[in-house]
Structures are given as C-alpha cells and as structure tokens.
Amino acid sequence: MFLAGDNAQAKARVSTFIQSIGLRPMDTGQLSMARTLEHACMLTLGLMTHSVKHTNFAIGVRLLG
C-alpha cells in the first residue's frame, strides 16, 4: 500500500498498521506525492467502472535497482 507524508513518525505508525493488516507499505516520499497517488487511484476506479468491470485485477509496479 502506497503512503506519502512529511512526518516520519506518522509514516512509521501508518506503516506498522498497514503491516498489521497483512499488506506491505511502500513509502513514496513527501506529501507532494499524494497527488500522484490520487491519480493512480482514479485510474484504478476508472478501469473498474468503464473497462474491466470487476475488481479482480492489479496494476503492477516494478521497482528497478
């Protein structure tokens, strides 16, 4: 699960919560990245509504390096 924020302590707490529900946190950086994450969410919702018509899909992310 992606997260962004300017407060390192808050991100650490949210990351712990994300892990506690069985997901993997992915810190994307500062709060300014939140807008990009919102666009990714809108893409996913658009695909579910207009294209794939179901929720059994994933948008893959590959981190190089």
Side-chain angles (χ1 to χ4, degrees), residues 7-41:
N7 184 312
Q9 183 180 9
K11 286 197 297 187
R13 291 182 71 185
V14 171
S15 291
T16 300
F17 171 73
I18 290 170
Q19 289 173 336
S20 77
I21 59 173
L23 299 173
R24 185 174 56 168
M26 175 66 67
D27 186 349
T28 62
Q30 296 182 344
L31 187 59
S32 59
M33 280 298 294
R35 174 171 237 133
T36 302
L37 297 177
E38 289 170 355
H39 288 234
C41 179

